[in-house]
Amino acid sequence: MAIVKMSSFSLFTFESDRERLLHELQRFSYVHFTDLKANSDLLDEGLNTLEVPVEVSAIDEKIQSVKTALDLLKNYDDRETGIKAMIKGKSNFTFEELEKKVSEFDYDPVIMKLREITGKIDHLSQEELKEKAVIEDLKPWKNLNFDVRLLKEFTYSEVFTGTVPKKLMDSLKNELAELKESYFEQLSEGKDEAYILGLTIKSQRDEFNEILRNHSYTSVNLYTEGTPEEAIESVRIKLTSIKEEKKNLQNEIKSMAGNLGKFEEVYEYLLNLRLRFAAESNFLKTGSVNVINGYVPTDKADTFEKAVAETQEGAYYLEIKPADKEDDGVPIMLKNGKFSESFESLTTMYSLPTYGSLDPTPLFAPFFFAFFGMMIGDWGYGLILFLGTGIVLKVANLDKGQKLMMRFLFYLSFSTIIWGLIFGSFFGLAIPGVALITPATEYQKLLIISVIFGGIHLFYALGIKAYLAFREGKPLDALYDVGFWYMALMGAIVFLLTMFIPFAPAVKTIALVVMVVGMAGIVLTGGRENESIVGKLAGGMYSLYGISGYIGDFVSYSRLMALGLAGGFIATAINMMVGMLFGMGIPGIIGGVVVFIFGQAFNLFLSALSAYVHTSRLTYVEFFGKFYAGGGKPFKVFRNKSKYINIE
């Protein structure tokens, strides 16, 4: 159970068979293509790259059209949501079933109809904005209670309508008051301006206009029929009509929402179709022959060979051989048992191993399991995790990623329950006669246990490093890089313990000797890669300085104790508040129940999140830092990652 064994393949096939080949390989899915464009040797030999097929652009347009239809229909989706949706899950299809369903759905007319409807809605929306703007323009003139058209029909008078800054209104009124046979009225106010109506005889027009101009007057022409109030009402009637028409069009879209699931299937199909054509950019060709290289899992090589043979009408050449263990370019696929598989996401999130190395997942999974539960340490919380994740796994139709996450938390619930029983804690309440360790009072003992766990974790990681050295045929490296460190660290630990524990004098002497020998070995071999003696000694001294890092590593494991105590104290504080509320009668009891449920739920979330983050940190920094480099690239199956359905 580790890294899946890979086989590399080289395939020469006629270009006329390429489309059938790619279709069959996508159905097979477990094929990872090598980008031959990066191989300059092949290009120098005269092989040419394949141009991106014109079909890709056409498919992109279809994908965009389908995506637009999906986004539109989602607004009217009446399918189950929340828990019901999770239980129902995504629909499951084989690749053949998906192709058949898509071929039975003529989606182009539906898309055209949706475009037509949305075009009408967009046009109505523009009209709506225009009409609303008209209302906003007319609102300041609502106090004009006569037909605006009459203002333009006066023979002996001149009418002025416009705006003036509010701060100049007093001055304007005073100056206009000196003009005889003139009328001035402020109709309304805006944020910074006043809307005015002015009337004067035509012989005074220039003088009247000069006064307005000196007060920053801006003319406003009113184009309405009837009074402004009547014009506003007319526009409102039109807006109501537009709104009703838009509603009818939206109802028409809603009636088409039943096609949403079909469009999701089409979308997934088109993405896979695009991937199929885009894969051709990895190939090279010479004349009418395509050159294809890649990798397949070794246990599926026979199926791959059969899939190739079934698509070839003409001659072809296929060579399959085991991948080179020393080749870091071999794509990585992990395969573990159910328990370890649930922890693979942690490895992937850090970095996949290279092909010639080992999968660290089953190595760190037991420690992650133990540390996570210790950081929460409450079997009431563990019981909630167990029941919640167990029920979801039992009744919900989950995709692979969701199922792995639920199984991950399901397994961790057992660790949480076990540590909760060890600590005798149930939602922060101490259970008499159950606890083996009481964290609140025996925190020193808990700290010692945390450091011991840290030592086991670190020494185990060093042991893996030694194993890798032996596997590579370098036993001396195992001695230099691990054996001497074991001696130095173990000797130092025992030597320090003799200061607090009454061991026999010989133990102290032996521990000191082992420590000194280990340190001397580190100094003499830590810089062995340098050429000069001075460089070797300097490198060795620097390596020995790394012992300070181990001190920090040991201290880092105190977080196992600290997080467990933090979660326990928060739970206890919540229980104290609940107890106080319970003493206030029925209202207090109701409030106490609410505080208990939400408080404990929040503490569970906070504790679980902290445990996940800090256990990951112990894994990535303290554990991986001793032996694991990563650097592998993932195996890319010849399928698009599904969003709406599950393709088997």
Side-chain angles (χ1 to χ4, degrees):
M1 298 298 183
I3 300 172
V4 174
K5 290 184 178 179
M6 289 288 163
S7 294
S8 63
F9 71 86
S10 296
L11 173 63
F12 294 80
T13 177
F14 283 110
E15 191 164 346
S16 58
D17 294 330
R18 184 176 66 220
E19 188 173 341
R20 289 192 303 276
L21 171 68
L22 290 175
H23 179 273
E24 189 65 22
L25 291 184
Q26 192 167 56
R27 191 175 70 85
F28 168 67
S29 79
Y30 287 97
V31 57
H32 177 106
F33 295 114
T34 302
D35 185 5
L36 293 178
K37 296 194 304 295
N39 191 328
S40 58
D41 293 337
L42 293 177
L43 295 175
D44 291 341
E45 290 179 7
L47 275 73
N48 300 314
T49 59
L50 271 71
E51 296 180 1
V52 178
V54 293
E55 290 88 349
V56 172
S57 298
I59 294 170
D60 283 338
E61 291 180 7
K62 286 187 176 182
I63 290 173
Q64 187 57 48
S65 296
V66 172
K67 182 66 166 59
T68 302
L70 276 174
D71 292 340
L72 183 61
L73 293 177
K74 279 179 186 177
N75 297 321
Y76 306 94
D77 187 8
D78 58 356
R79 295 177 298 184
E80 294 92 346
T81 57
I83 295 177
K84 288 184 178 180
M86 183 180 66
I87 293 174
K88 183 178 180 181
K90 300 176 182 177
S91 300
N92 298 308
F93 297 101
T94 63
F95 198 71
E96 294 84 353
E97 289 172 341
L98 178 62
E99 287 186 316
K100 185 174 184 298
K101 287 196 62 98
V102 172
S103 67
E104 294 172 350
F105 177 41
D106 188 8
Y107 56 89
D108 282 331
V110 181
I111 290 176
M112 293 299 294
K113 184 63 176 176
L114 288 172
R115 283 178 179 170
E116 180 185 344
I117 295 173
T118 52
K120 291 179 180 178
I121 291 176
D122 289 342
H123 177 72
L124 290 172
S125 296
Q126 291 297 323
E127 288 294 317
E128 190 175 31
L129 288 174
K130 290 179 182 177
E131 298 301 330
K132 286 181 177 179
V134 170
I135 290 179
E136 291 302 315
D137 290 340
L138 290 174
K139 276 183 179 179
W141 310 99
K142 286 175 63 176
N143 292 332
L144 279 177
N145 54 3
F146 51 84
D147 192 333
V148 175
R149 290 173 296 180
L150 298 175
L151 299 177
K152 305 182 185 302
E153 298 177 0
F154 293 164
T155 304
Y156 302 106
S157 302
E158 185 80 18
V159 178
F160 297 85
T161 54
T163 62
V164 173
K166 288 194 294 186
K167 60 184 179 180
L168 300 177
M169 281 300 297
D170 291 339
S171 173
L172 176 63
K173 289 178 181 178
N174 292 333
E175 291 192 30
L176 289 178
E178 298 177 2
L179 294 179
K180 297 180 180 180
E181 299 180 350
S182 295
Y183 174 78
F184 174 79
E185 180 181 355
Q186 178 179 330
L187 298 173
S188 63
E189 286 187 353
K191 182 180 179 182
D192 299 309
E193 66 283 331
Y195 293 83
I196 64 168
L197 170 68
L199 180 65
T200 185
I201 60 174
K202 288 196 174 182
S203 59
Q204 290 185 155
R205 178 181 60 186
D206 293 339
E207 189 176 357
F208 194 96
N209 186 53
E210 181 66 18
I211 294 173
L212 290 176
R213 190 174 61 80
N214 291 336
H215 288 80
S216 302
Y217 167 76
T218 301
S219 177
V220 176
N221 293 318
L222 300 176
Y223 300 99
T224 62
E225 294 184 3
T227 66
E229 182 64 39
E230 291 171 345
I232 290 173
E233 185 59 29
S234 176
V235 173
R236 284 175 177 162
I237 293 172
K238 189 174 182 180
L239 284 173
T240 301
S241 176
I242 291 174
K243 186 177 180 181
E244 187 65 27
E245 192 172 351
K246 285 177 67 176
K247 184 177 180 181
N248 291 335
L249 291 170
Q250 288 165 351
N251 287 335
E252 193 171 351
I253 295 175
K254 186 176 182 180
S255 68
M256 303 168 70
N259 293 307
L260 181 59
K262 295 179 181 179
F263 271 109
E264 290 174 346
E265 295 161 8
V266 172
Y267 183 73
E268 298 289 0
Y269 169 77
L270 289 175
L271 287 177
N272 279 286
L273 184 61
R274 188 194 187 286
L275 180 65
R276 190 189 311 166
F277 283 109
E280 298 178 15
S281 64
N282 296 301
F283 309 158
L284 295 179
K285 70 174 182 178
T286 173
S288 59
V289 176
N290 290 171
V291 180
I292 305 172
N293 284 5
Y295 297 90
V296 294
T298 301
D299 61 351
K300 298 182 184 296
D302 291 341
T303 308
F304 168 74
E305 189 170 0
K306 183 179 178 182
V308 172
E310 289 177 349
T311 62
Q312 303 302 298
E313 293 184 354
Y316 71 96
Y317 172 79
L318 174 63
E319 180 185 7
I320 303 177
K321 61 182 180 180
D324 184 1
K325 289 186 177 181
E326 303 301 319
D327 184 3
D328 290 343
V330 178
I332 303 301
M333 181 181 288
L334 303 180
K335 184 177 181 181
N336 289 289
K338 272 194 171 183
F339 177 78
S340 296
E341 184 185 26
S342 303
F343 294 81
E344 284 180 359
S345 61
L346 292 160
T347 301
T348 304
M349 188 163 50
Y350 182 82
S351 180
L352 286 169
T354 53
Y355 189 62
S357 61
L358 82 170
D359 177 12
T361 308
L363 304 176
F364 75 76
F367 289 97
F368 196 103
F369 174 84
F371 293 167
F372 183 93
M374 186 176 180
M375 288 186 186
I376 298 180
D378 187 290
W379 75 273
Y381 291 167
L383 189 61
I384 290 178
L385 281 175
F386 171 77
L387 293 175
T389 56
I391 291 172
V392 170
L393 286 169
K394 187 71 176 176
V395 304
N397 177 25
L398 306 173
D399 60 32
K400 183 178 180 181
Q402 293 170 332
K403 188 177 292 184
L404 287 176
M405 177 54 69
M406 285 297 109
R407 196 190 299 160
F408 173 71
L409 295 173
F410 179 73
Y411 287 135
L412 293 178
S413 70
F414 289 96
S415 174
T416 306
I417 290 172
I418 292 169
W419 280 104
L421 292 173
I422 292 173
F423 295 156
S425 176
F426 182 76
F427 293 111
L429 299 172
I431 305 172
V434 175
L436 299 178
I437 301 173
T438 305
T441 57
E442 298 179 295
Y443 51 85
Q444 290 182 335
K445 184 187 294 186
L446 189 59
L447 177 60
I448 292 172
I449 292 173
S450 299
V451 174
I452 291 173
F453 279 162
I456 295 171
H457 202 214
L458 293 174
F459 285 133
Y460 180 55
L462 285 172
I464 297 171
K465 184 176 183 178
Y467 163 76
L468 292 174
F470 276 108
R471 194 178 74 167
E472 294 172 4
K474 301 176 181 178
L476 289 179
D477 283 357
L479 173 64
Y480 299 154
D481 297 332
V482 179
F484 286 143
W485 277 105
Y486 272 161
M487 294 173 68
L489 293 172
M490 290 298 295
I493 291 171
V494 175
F495 183 76
L496 290 173
L497 288 176
T498 59
M499 298 180 181
F500 305 96
I501 302 175
F503 287 111
V507 174
K508 183 175 183 179
T509 302
I510 293 172
L512 181 61
V513 171
V514 170
M515 179 183 70
V516 171
V517 171
M519 289 181 173
I522 293 170
V523 172
L524 293 175
T525 63
R528 60 186 182 276
E529 295 179 356
N530 297 322
E531 295 183 359
S532 66
I533 295 177
V534 175
K536 292 179 186 293
L537 289 176
M541 292 298 295
Y542 183 77
S543 296
L544 181 61
Y545 177 73
I547 201 168
S548 61
Y550 279 93
I551 296 173
D553 290 344
F554 276 103
V555 172
S556 185
Y557 286 90
S558 64
R559 71 188 66 224
L560 295 173
M561 171 205 71
L563 286 172
L565 289 176
F569 288 146
I570 293 174
T572 301
I574 291 170
N575 293 334
M576 290 175 63
M577 289 189 289
V578 171
M580 294 170 60
L581 289 169
F582 272 25
M584 300 179 182
I586 294 178
I589 293 173
I590 296 173
V593 171
V594 172
V595 170
F596 181 83
I597 293 174
F598 285 97
Q600 296 290 0
F602 176 74
N603 191 36
L604 170 58
F605 168 77
L606 198 63
S607 298
L609 180 62
S610 299
Y612 176 83
V613 170
H614 287 280
T615 307
S616 298
R617 195 263 181 200
L618 291 174
T619 301
Y620 293 156
V621 178
E622 276 70 28
F623 190 69
F624 281 2
K626 302 299 179 288
F627 72 95
Y628 185 63
K633 62 179 183 180
F635 183 95
K636 296 179 180 178
V637 295
F638 194 27
R639 291 272 182 85
N640 188 69
K641 187 176 181 180
S642 300
K643 180 178 180 181
Y644 300 111
I645 61 175
N646 294 324
I647 305 177
E648 299 171 355

